[in-house]
Structures are given as C-alpha cells and as structure tokens.
C-alpha cells in the first residue's frame, strides 16, 4: 500500500462527508475505518469521545480485522484516571503512541488498560476542533508489536483532522437541524395557535348554530362597509329579516327541528345572494344582510333581491315527514343618508322598517323612510322634555270663562293647558299635545291637570269664588280603567271641592273610538256628581244615536262652525240642527270660539245661550281670574 493511495483515500473520504446528511455520518465513519484499517493492515481502528471534563471517554466507532475481538461494548464511559500522559498529549494536540505495551512498566495504568484488551502497539491522534480536544482516533495492532513510522503518524494525524472536520460539520448540521427543527416546531406551534385563535374567533364572532356572523361581528362589518361606501361613493343596503311567528313554530316543531329549520334558512339566505355580501344571524330568528354591490342597490334591483329572499324563505321545508312553511318580514334601509347615521342607528332603522312590515301584515318588506324617522325622533325628544317639564313645574292652566249670554252670568271656566317653556316661552297645547297622542305621557298630563284644577277650585273657594272648572281629558285616560278611581281619589283629597264644580270635557273623537266604554264612563261620572261636556262637537261623525247614547250634559259646538256662522249657510244649518237636537234631548248647548258681537247675537237668536270665546275673555292665567271676575260682575251689576 502506497502512501499516495492512502492520501487519495483520505481525500476521497473527506469528499464523501461534504454533502452527507447527518443520519448517514455514523455509517460513513465506520466505512472509513474499515477502508483505512484494511489498507494499513491494522487489527483495530477506532474513534473515542472524551466527556465529563476528560474524566471519561467512550468508544463511538470501531473496526476490527477478522479474528480480532471487538471491544466497543466494554469501552463506554471508560474512566481516564491515571492516564495523565495520554490526556496531556491529546490536550496538547499531540499523538500518543505505544510501540510495545509489554515494554511499559507493569504498574503503568496505560499498560494495565491496554494489556487486558490484547493490545501490543497503539497510535492515537487527538480530534481537535477550534482548539478543543473532542476525542481521539486510534489504531491497534494486537498480534505483534509494530514500530510506528512516519507513514502511520501522518495517516493517523490526517485521519484525526478529518474526523475533527467531520465532527465540526456534524455539529453545524446538528445546530442547523436544531434550528430547522426549532423553526418547524415554532411554525407548528404558530399554526396551532392560529388555528386555536381562529377557532376562538369563530366561536366569538360567529353564530354557533348556523355558522353565520353574529351580531357583534356584523356590526363591525357594517362599520367597515359604511366607511367603504362613503369612500367609494357607493350605496349600501341593509336588510333586517325577522321570521314570522317563529316562536310558535319552534314550539310546535320542538327545539331540535326548530334549529334545523334555522340552519336551513341560513343556507338559503347564503345561496340567495352573491358574494361579497355579509349575512349574519343577529337574534333568535333574526338575520341581517348587507348588500354592498352598488349595481344591486338601485331601487328596482334591490326590490328584486328582497322579493327573491322572501320567496326563498317561504318555500316549504322538509322536516322529517312533514312539510313546514315559514315566512319572513324584512325591513330595509340604505346608506349614506342626508343626515349622518352610525351603524347602530342604521340597524335600528332597518329593525323599525321590519316592524312596519310586520304591522302591515307580515311576509313582506318595508323600506325605512328617513324623514318619517326624524319626525319620530323629534316626537320622542319632545315627549321626554314634556315629562321633565311636568316635574319642573313648567306647565300652567289658563282659564277661559263660559258665559250665559242671557244673563251674562259666569257659568264657569275651561282650564286650558299652557307650557312655560324655558327656551321657547309660553306654548299653546297645539305645539305639544299632538305629540302625546297615544303616549303614556298624555295620562301624566291629565293627572296633573285634574290635581291642578282641583287645587285652583280650593283656592278660589277660599277667596270666595265658588265656580265650576271644565277640564280636558285625553282620550287615552278617558277610556282607561284607572280614570274613575283616579278622579275619586283626587276628589277625596279636595274635600272642600264639590264634584259638581268639576266638568270633564270629552272629545267627540275619543267617544267615537269606543262608544260603549265612553257611555259607561259618563254614567260613572254622573254617579260621582261630575258633569260632562262633549267637546268639539260636529268635527267627528256624530249621529243622533251617538248623541242619544252618550249622556253628556253639555254639547260644545266646535269653533269652526261659529267662525263661519255668518258667512256659510250650511254651517248655519248644522248649528241650527245641533241646537234643536240638544233642546229635544234635554242637553245644554255651548258655542265655542265666539269672537264678535254679531256671532254672539246670532247664536243667541238661534237659541244657543251658553258661550265661550275671545269676545268675552281670552284664556287667562289663574292669577288673573279673581280680578277679571270681580270686574266682570261689577260691569253686569
Ligand atoms: P278646546 O278644548 O276646544 O279649547 C278651546 C280652544 O279654543 C282653546 O285653544 C282656546 O284658547 C281657543 N279659543 C277660545 N276662544 C277662542 C276664540 O274666540 N277664537 C279662537 N280662535 N280660539 C278660541 P287652546 O287653549 O289652544 O287649546 C286647544 C285645544 O287643546 C283644546 O281645544 C283642547 O282640545 C286641548 N287642550 C287644552 N288644554 C288641555 C288640557 O289641559 N288637557 C287636554 N287633554 N287637552 C287640552
Ligand atoms: Mg275643551
Ligand atoms: Mg273645543
């Protein structure tokens, strides 16, 4: 074996390690050991690794010539104690060799270590990388002692260096592998986290039953789309879909089938509109949808889509053997609007429109009308200020006298409400009462009026004025069961006021709403000793039967007839017949809104003696009543 051949082998060996994957290193080292061992006629070639601060070493690779006993299994965690020479040489980067073990002193640890292994000659070279001794490579002869020559020295040194390089590369690869594994592991962890996040997000942002966005996500999406539509100058349409009578259906079908139905509806909704529309389930049986594509938002297109959705939902559903039908009511609104609205308001508008669709008979759609909404909002605000006004004592009753034209005697006063508005000044009921129609606040006003009028009567009585006050009561309280008990309680509080000092004015329109109830109320009032007047007579659809059934003590001819009395023949005829009717039925008749002496004269001539109007006196603050009364009576005297 030539030296050249061996050098070539070492070069080839070195080359093989360059692109070797980590997993094949051990086999490659074993292979190199075998090739070099064979070439050198060695009995054993091996690699050791130092560890635990050079206190121990372990045999990692071994090649043995045939017939030579392998030692690797006995040489794991082998103690290096007493092998100072050996260690010193390796740590200094030098070879350590023994030409003949048997020539060593018998007590030498090296001999005691090598002899039992049957080693006669040995040459080892350190595996040193970056100045650190990692282990060693060695070559043994067991059969006979060998004097190592330069060739052996060169070979083992180069092989040691090669192994050092291999070790270095191995470490780099391990590092790289570790980094790679770490990267992969991180990626995996990140992926898991992302999945978990998505799962959580889905659970938080989506309706678990249908998988659609939930209300909170929908509101976010709506905000985004509203911003987009403003930026792009496009229109978006918001649909609020509510299933008709779903609660009942759910009860009939049972929860499980009800859920299945909702899932089915969600699927149909998704199929009924093209991307990129957003659909959400925002309540038990409520869905919402944003149409963002401007081509759909033209009224005609939008109507077509909404009608398609109505049809889609209304198509029968198969629940087990049964075919089930369900319909929906849809409210729609669009954005942008002439006034700024936010997502919440937009949703409320669509909800309100949906409610209108329900009121109009369900299974239909209704388009929100922004103008109507501003009226509603204004009304709502007004009601709130009225409520606050009552608490803050901003209201007052003005009093307008009622006169018997035959004697000019004061029959009593009609109490007429005024609002001393902190900013707008004195307001007539025409400015605020219409807003209270059918609202709970109307009753609050009535309660306040009853108590204020009774207080006033008490006060006047204490000042020597014994008179009657007519109060106007809203239709709402008039027909409510608490009305009579409320009056009773109020009268109990004012023991000094006689019930016949009070007159209740009923609007013709209110009595017409529920004649039977109104008639019963009048009877109850009479039982209490309270008088009753039918206000604004002639403005409704009063019939003879009506007048006969409602036992009002006084019928007040509406001022519109009085105003035209001298100009309009028809009105004259009507007033004439009302007067006649009242005389026949034994009712008093009073004309409202008399502004001139001619009107007063004419009415007197027609047989209507009771009168009220600016001609006699305008409604006045309570504090003016006593002086006015004094003056009036003194004038008549
Ligand atoms: P009403 O009960 O028919 O009251 C008569 C209205 O005619 C009063 O208007 C009064 O100021 C007005 N008036 C009186 N004489 C004349 C006149 O010669 N010419 C003209 N042009 N008008 C005259 P007001 O005070 O603005 O009240 C309007 C309506 O508001 C009342 O009509 C009544 O329906 C309602 N109202 C007034 N006060 C109350 C109240 O305390 N409670 C309730 N529920 N309604 C009230
Ligand atoms: Mg009145
Ligand atoms: Mg009236």
């Amino acid at each position: 074996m030539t030296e050249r051949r061996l050098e070539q082998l070492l070069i080839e060996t070195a080359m093989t390690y360059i692109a070797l994957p980590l997993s094949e290193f051990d086999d490659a080292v074993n292979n190199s050991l075998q090739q070099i061992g064979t070439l050198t006629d060695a009995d054993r070639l091996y690699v050791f690794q130092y560890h635990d601060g050079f206190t121990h070493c372990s045999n990692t690779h071994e090649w043995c010539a045939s017939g030579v006993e392998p030692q690797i299994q006995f040489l794991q965690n082998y103690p290096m104690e007493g092998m100072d020479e050996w260690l010193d040489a390796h740590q200094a980067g030098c070879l350590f060799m023994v030409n003949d073990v048997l020539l060593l002193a018998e007590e030498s640890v090296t001999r005691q270590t090598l002899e039992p292994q049957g080693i006669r000659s040995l040459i080892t070279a350190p595996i040193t990388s970056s100045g650190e001794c990692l282990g060693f490579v060695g070559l043994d002869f067991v059969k006979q002692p060998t004097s190592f020559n330069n060739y052996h020295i060169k070979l083992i040194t180069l092989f040691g260096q090669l192994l050092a390089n291999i070790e270095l590369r191995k470490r780099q690869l391990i590092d790289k592998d570790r980094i790679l594994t770490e990267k992969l592991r991180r990626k995996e962890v990140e992926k898991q986290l992302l999945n978990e996040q998505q799962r959580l997000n889905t659970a938080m942002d989506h309706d678990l039953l249908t998988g659609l966005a939930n209300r909170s996500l929908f509101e976010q999406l709506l905000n985004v789309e509203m911003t987009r539509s403003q930026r792009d100058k496009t229109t978006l349409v918001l649909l609020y879909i509510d299933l008709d009578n779903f609660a009942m259906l759910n009860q009939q079908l049972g929860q499980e089938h009800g859920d299945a139905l909702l899932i089915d509806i969600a699927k149909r909704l998704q199929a009924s509109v093209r991307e990129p529309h957003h659909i959400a389930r925002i309540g038990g049986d409520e869905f919402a949808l944003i149409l963002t594509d401007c081509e759909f938002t033209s009224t005609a297109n939008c109507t077509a889509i909404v009608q398609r959705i109505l049809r889609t939902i209304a198509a029968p559903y198969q629940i087990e053997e049964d075919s089930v039908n369900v319909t929906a009511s849809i409210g729609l609104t669009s954005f942008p609007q002439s006034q700024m609205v936010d997502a919440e308001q937009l949703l409320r508008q669509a909800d309100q429109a949906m409610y209108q669709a329900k009121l109009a008979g369900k299974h239909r759609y209704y388009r929100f009308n922004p103008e109507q909404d501003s009226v509603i909002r204004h009304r709502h605000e007004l009601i709130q200020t009225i409520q606050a006004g009552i608490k803050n004592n901003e209201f007052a009753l003005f009093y307008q006298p009622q006169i018997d034209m035959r004697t000019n005697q004061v029959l009593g006063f009609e109490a007429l409400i005024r609002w001393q508005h902190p900013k707008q000044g004195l307001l007539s009921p025409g400015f605020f009462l219409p807003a209270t129609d059918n609202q709970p606040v109307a009753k609050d006003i009535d309660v306040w009026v009853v108590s204020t009028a009774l207080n006033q009567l008490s006060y006047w009585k204490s000042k020597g004025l014994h008179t009657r006050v007519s109060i106007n009561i809203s239709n709402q309280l008039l027909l409510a069961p608490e009305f009579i008990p409320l009056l009773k309680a109020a009268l109990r509080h004012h023991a000094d006021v006689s019930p016949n000092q009070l007159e209740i004015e009923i609007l013709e329109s209110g009595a017409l709403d529920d004649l039977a109830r109104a008639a019963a109320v009048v009877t109850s009032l009479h039982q209490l000793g309270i008088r009753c007047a039918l206000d604004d007579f002639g403005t409704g659809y009063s019939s003879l039967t009506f007048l006969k059934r409602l036992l009002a003590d006084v019928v007040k001819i509406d001022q519109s007839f009085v105003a035209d009395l001298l100009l309009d023949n028809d009105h004259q005829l009507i007033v004439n017949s009302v007067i006649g009717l009242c005389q026949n039925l034994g009712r008093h008749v009073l004309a409202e809104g008399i502004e001139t002496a001619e009107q007063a004269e004419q009415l007197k001539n027609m047989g209507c003696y009771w009168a009220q109007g600016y001609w006699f006196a305008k409604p006045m603050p309570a504090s003016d009543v006593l002086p006015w009364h004094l003056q009036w009576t003194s004038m008549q005297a």
Side-chain angles (χ1 to χ4, degrees):
M1 183 67 237
T2 63
E3 205 174 321
R4 243 189 94 62
R5 172 73 196 98
L6 199 78
E7 274 173 9
Q8 208 184 330
L9 177 70
L10 282 174
I11 292 167
E12 280 172 18
T13 309
M15 300 281 282
T16 47
Y17 289 94
I18 289 173
L20 208 64
L22 202 58
S23 57
E24 291 173 26
F25 263 80
D26 285 338
D27 284 350
V29 171
N30 286 330
N31 200 32
S32 302
L33 291 178
Q34 189 213 341
Q35 284 183 326
I36 296 167
T38 313
L39 267 175
T40 50
D41 288 326
D43 291 327
R44 197 187 279 135
L45 200 63
Y46 46 82
V47 181
F48 271 77
Q49 202 181 30
Y50 287 125
H51 48 85
D52 300 325
F54 296 99
T55 58
H56 291 81
C57 68
S58 291
N59 192 180
T60 57
H61 302 83
E62 181 186 40
W63 169 84
C64 296
S66 63
V68 177
E69 202 59 29
Q71 297 293 316
I72 190 163
Q73 75 230 52
F74 311 116
L75 299 171
Q76 300 303 316
N77 285 319
Y78 196 84
M80 292 301 289
E81 210 179 334
M83 312 266 281
D84 298 341
E85 260 183 299
W86 183 305
L87 273 175
D88 288 348
H90 283 173
Q91 283 177 340
C94 303
L95 301 181
F96 179 80
M97 59 182 171
V98 181
N99 282 326
D100 191 345
V101 169
L102 297 182
L103 295 178
L104 294 173
E106 280 197 20
E107 65 279 7
S108 130
V109 180
T110 309
R111 180 170 174 171
Q112 286 166 9
T113 306
L114 300 179
E115 204 178 354
Q117 297 177 47
I119 297 170
R120 283 301 296 272
S121 307
L122 154 151
I123 182 168
T124 65
I127 302 172
T128 306
S129 172
S130 310
E132 186 193 352
C133 179
L134 307 171
F136 60 92
V137 57
L139 187 153
D140 290 357
F141 287 98
V142 283
K143 293 162 195 158
Q144 55 194 40
T146 303
S147 288
F148 294 110
N149 54 28
N150 274 344
Y151 163 64
H152 288 116
I153 292 170
K154 200 173 169 186
L155 167 77
I156 207 77
T157 306
L158 283 173
F159 194 43
Q161 285 168 359
L162 177 69
L163 283 175
N165 287 337
I166 290 170
E167 187 58 31
L168 191 70
R169 185 163 145 63
K170 205 169 131 187
R171 286 186 178 198
Q172 284 171 346
L173 278 180
I174 290 174
D175 272 358
K176 215 168 143 188
D177 202 52
R178 201 172 44 78
I179 292 166
L180 212 75
T181 324
E182 179 62 13
K183 265 192 184 163
L184 278 173
R185 200 187 61 83
R186 272 200 196 167
K187 253 195 179 157
E188 188 54 34
V189 170
E190 263 167 32
K191 209 172 130 187
Q192 279 174 6
L193 275 173
L194 210 74
N195 281 345
E196 182 62 12
Q197 179 85 27
Q198 269 170 353
R199 201 185 61 75
L200 276 175
N201 280 351
T202 310
M204 270 180 343
D205 287 350
H206 287 77
D207 166 42
L208 291 177
L209 182 68
T210 60
L212 295 178
N214 64 16
R215 192 180 186 111
S216 109
L217 176 62
F218 187 77
E219 278 175 4
Q220 290 169 39
L221 291 169
L222 186 56
N223 264 313
V224 171
E225 292 304 343
M226 283 166 76
T227 311
R228 203 199 308 271
S229 106
Q230 262 179 329
R231 187 197 60 199
D232 300 348
K233 303 212 178 332
T234 56
T235 306
L236 71 79
V237 172
L238 171 66
L239 267 59
Y240 201 110
I241 305 166
D242 188 287
L243 303 178
D244 299 327
N245 311 322
F246 185 76
M248 203 177 69
L249 196 65
N250 201 30
Q251 217 169 27
Q252 282 169 6
L253 294 173
Q255 172 94 27
E256 202 181 313
H257 289 152
D259 283 355
L261 190 63
L262 286 170
I263 293 170
D264 213 344
I265 289 168
K267 281 187 193 148
R268 289 189 191 187
L269 276 175
Q270 279 175 308
S272 67
V273 282
R274 270 187 279 141
E275 291 291 325
H277 305 310
H278 302 294
I279 307 179
R281 181 173 173 227
I282 55 171
D285 61 346
E286 289 166 351
F287 298 86
L289 210 153
I290 308 170
L291 299 176
T292 51
D293 199 338
C294 55
E295 85 172 271
F296 288 117
T297 51
S298 79
T299 308
N301 275 324
C302 197
T303 306
I305 293 188
V306 177
Q307 274 167 344
R308 189 168 72 221
I309 292 173
L310 283 172
R311 278 198 307 275
T312 307
I313 294 177
Y317 298 80
Q318 200 60 39
I319 301 278
E320 292 192 334
E321 314 281 86
D322 300 324
S323 171
V324 174
N325 288 300
V326 62
T327 58
S329 298
I330 303 179
L332 53 137
T333 187
S334 57
F335 180 85
Q337 296 174 3
S338 56
Q339 287 192 333
M340 203 44 224
V341 281
D342 59 22
E344 211 185 300
Q345 281 171 303
L346 209 64
L347 258 171
R348 214 175 322 120
Q349 290 179 355
D351 182 16
Q352 235 177 63
M354 180 279 294
Y355 186 64
Q356 292 295 327
K358 291 253 186 225
L359 287 182
K362 300 177 182 167
H363 189 203
R364 68 197 61 218
Y365 73 90
Y366 188 90
R367 197 182 266 273
F368 175 79
N369 180 346
E371 269 115 70
Q372 210 174 34
D373 181 58
S374 72
V375 172
I376 291 170
R377 227 174 323 146
H378 178 247
R379 180 176 180 187
H380 185 70
E381 284 165 12
L382 185 58
I383 287 170
Q384 283 182 326
T385 32
I386 292 174
Q387 258 153 351
I390 296 175
K391 278 204 192 94
N392 298 337
N393 238 346
E394 290 168 11
F395 287 88
L397 286 181
F398 273 36
Y399 295 90
Q400 186 178 33
Q402 297 174 328
I403 308 290
D404 185 337
M405 290 191 283
R406 286 169 298 192
T407 58
N408 276 339
Q409 202 194 336
V410 179
L411 296 163
F413 296 84
E414 178 174 8
L416 296 161
I417 197 165
R418 297 290 180 269
W419 185 4
Q420 189 63 55
H421 195 279
K423 286 185 192 139
Q424 296 173 44
L426 193 69
L427 297 180
S428 288
F431 286 96
F432 57 88
L433 274 189
T436 68
D437 237 12
N438 290 320
Q439 298 291 323
V441 71
K443 286 188 191 173
D444 299 340
I445 292 177
D446 292 329
V447 171
W448 178 85
V449 168
V450 169
S451 113
T452 308
L454 287 174
N455 283 340
Q456 195 59 56
L457 281 169
S458 270
Y459 175 75
W460 283 333
K461 192 170 183 195
S462 73
K463 297 288 168 190
L465 175 66
H466 185 87
T467 188
R468 173 184 282 131
V469 166
S470 281
I471 56 173
N472 296 278
I473 291 295
S474 73
N475 294 340
Q476 227 190 324
L477 182 64
L478 179 83
L479 301 175
E482 67 262 35
F483 179 46
I484 299 295
L486 190 141
L487 278 177
K488 274 188 193 166
L491 283 168
R492 262 203 308 275
H493 263 92
H494 295 85
D496 52 341
V497 177
S498 152
N500 68 14
Q501 285 185 267
L502 203 61
E503 184 177 75
I504 301 293
E505 295 199 7
I506 299 175
L507 282 174
E508 193 189 7
S509 58
L512 277 169
D513 276 349
D514 184 347
L515 181 56
R517 170 100 202 116
V521 169
V522 173
T523 307
S524 303
L525 288 173
H526 285 161
Q527 282 166 0
L528 283 177
I530 298 174
R531 222 164 74 165
C532 173
L534 190 58
D535 204 355
D536 296 352
F537 191 77
T539 52
Y541 301 91
S542 321
S543 65
L544 181 61
T545 341
F546 173 82
L547 206 54
K548 268 177 81 179
R549 282 191 61 191
L550 201 81
L551 302 172
D553 305 275
V554 184
V555 173
K556 298 181 79 175
I557 300 176
D558 190 69
Q559 54 180 270
S560 58
F561 297 100
V562 176
D564 293 348
L565 198 61
L566 305 169
L567 314 161
D568 191 321
N569 270 342
D570 285 349
H571 276 184
Q572 247 184 52
L573 274 175
I574 293 171
V575 172
N576 238 333
S577 61
V578 171
I579 295 170
L581 208 60
C582 288
Q583 283 168 347
N584 285 332
L585 290 171
R587 314 285 162 81
H588 297 285
V589 61
L590 183 148
E592 291 185 298
I594 299 173
E595 292 182 353
T596 63
E598 292 78 22
Q599 287 167 344
E601 201 51 38
Q602 173 84 0
L603 283 159
K604 218 163 37 171
N605 291 338
M606 289 166 85
C608 170
Y609 309 114
W610 287 9
Q612 180 182 343
Y614 294 170
W615 174 244
F616 306 100
K618 284 195 171 182
M620 62 191 92
S623 55
D624 288 359
V625 170
L626 285 176
W628 175 87
H629 190 260
L630 201 65
Q631 194 197 5
W632 179 265
T633 41
S634 64
M635 257 170 51
Q636 312 310 321

